[in-house]
Amino acid sequence: MKRLLLLTMAALLLGTSCNNRPAAPPPPPVIDPPTDGPLVFKYDAAEGYLDYWYKDNAFGIGLHTYVEGLDGSWRVMTLPTLPYDNKVAPAFYRVQGLVTTEGYLVHYGLDQTLNKIYGGRKFRWKYRFKLHTQENPWRFEAPIGPVEFEVLERFPWEPGGQAAIIDTRNLFLHNAIATSPIGAPPFIGCLQEDVPGIFNAKKGIYIASWHRGVIQWRDEDVDVTWPGPGNPPWSYTRNWYWIDGEYEAYVATSNSNPIYITNGIQYNPRFPSLSNRTHEVILLSYADGVGPYPKSWEKRYFRLAGRGAGAFLNPDGSVRCEFGEWRLDEITDPAAIAWFDAFRTSRREQPPDGPMTPQQRAWLWPAGW
């Protein structure tokens, strides 16, 4: 009995000792991210890269970023970001990957910190940006004007499988709310001297149409280096373009890349960088949409049309550039689509060389423009 009493008293004392331990510190207070945007930008004009990193009070927020046209007619994904990119080790991106030189950046953010210092919430920012490519050197500016900021209940791509996350490697989310493989106006700049390196461009006007690749396969237990038995088919974004009414070239890739309308890696004799005249451009884009992650803009024909763009040499040796007018729309005329499908699925995969016929021009050029 005495032994039982001692054990009972010891247990009570031990329990009292445990209960007297200091309480765990309360969780940190929930903080709000910066309402004027989560990123800081710096344009490296010499290298042609846009550097960007998180503001101190935005670390740990995963981002998916889209660029939108000023008129709201198109939207594509851009600026891949990791939650802890910083000024010492910033993210960087080829500046042409912004698709255009003036538009809106839209960030969708998710609190990915371990202790959820932002309350595990979802966010959205939208603001205007501009790359001043008529200046020498070029200059990037963002944000311009007011910044839209809101706390979201859900992302615009919800509901859906794996939807309530931010993950740059998730192919379900890749370009989930894009509306087109290309944008308008394209990336246009004026160069007062030859620029080697990433631009590999000559003095004059520089025009590149950045198109979105259709990434359908990643980390698969299959060999995707070549189509064949047991391998998934490649999924291409296909682009054909005409300059001054004559067929120029065909470019198809499974990655996101620029198509050089003037010069760059590809020199274009029909639209040289400095021709002392303006030119007319038609670019037709079509995404195959082959694979497990279909997007709304695939298997449709989009047309980028431009007129009045060109560069002129001034008497003092400087260059004057005219950026022209550009528009983007979808071609839905059944007769035009039948012709596009015919050459797209042919062995050559291209239309005939040479000038457009009157009928082809009626299909390719915007009506009434």
Side-chain angles (χ1 to χ4, degrees), residues 82 112 192 222 364:
L82 296 176
Q112 293 183 329
Q192 296 298 327
V222 291
L364 288 167

Side-chain angles (χ1 to χ4, degrees), residues 14 17 92 178 182 189 248 344 369:
L14 182 61
S17 175
F92 56 92
I182 52 178
E248 176 63 26
R344 177 179 60 83
W369 198 44

Side-chain angles (χ1 to χ4, degrees), residues 298-317:
E298 296 170 335
K299 300 183 183 297
R300 297 159 60 188
Y301 289 98
F302 290 88
R303 166 181 53 203
L304 173 65
R307 64 184 180 187
F312 301 81
L313 186 64
N314 294 320
D316 63 359

Side-chain angles (χ1 to χ4, degrees), residues 108-187:
Y108 293 96
L110 176 66
D111 179 4
Q112 293 183 329
T113 59
L114 291 177
N115 53 357
K116 296 296 180 279
I117 63 174
Y118 305 102
R121 293 175 294 173
K122 305 171 186 177
F123 310 101
R124 173 186 173 272
W125 295 264
K126 180 178 179 178
Y127 51 86
R128 190 167 178 169
F129 75 91
K130 183 173 183 177
L131 188 67
H132 298 268
T133 56
Q134 286 278 20
E135 299 181 7
N136 185 30
W138 296 352
R139 176 173 60 88
F140 182 80
E141 183 180 7
I144 299 173
V147 177
E148 295 179 19
F149 172 73
E150 59 180 325
V151 178
L152 300 176
E153 291 295 324
R154 57 186 291 273
F155 291 126
W157 52 82
E158 296 183 66
Q162 312 174 64
I165 62 173
I166 292 290
D167 181 358
T168 57
R169 290 187 61 81
N170 186 297
L171 299 187
F172 169 82
L173 299 178
H174 183 75
N175 271 310
I177 58 171
T179 60
S180 168
I182 52 178
F187 189 95

Side-chain angles (χ1 to χ4, degrees), residues 192-222:
Q192 296 298 327
E193 57 189 11
D194 291 355
V195 179
I198 190 170
F199 288 106
N200 191 22
K202 294 186 177 296
K203 176 178 178 179
I205 194 168
Y206 176 93
I207 305 178
S209 176
W210 189 280
H211 66 275
R212 284 290 162 258
V214 188
I215 301 176
Q216 293 284 1
W217 313 101
R218 180 184 281 156
D219 296 341
E220 300 270 354
D221 293 327
V222 291

Side-chain angles (χ1 to χ4, degrees), residues 6-22:
L6 289 174
L7 289 173
T8 302
M9 291 178 65
L12 289 172
L13 289 173
L14 182 61
T16 302
S17 175
C18 290
N19 290 336
N20 287 335
R21 287 181 180 177

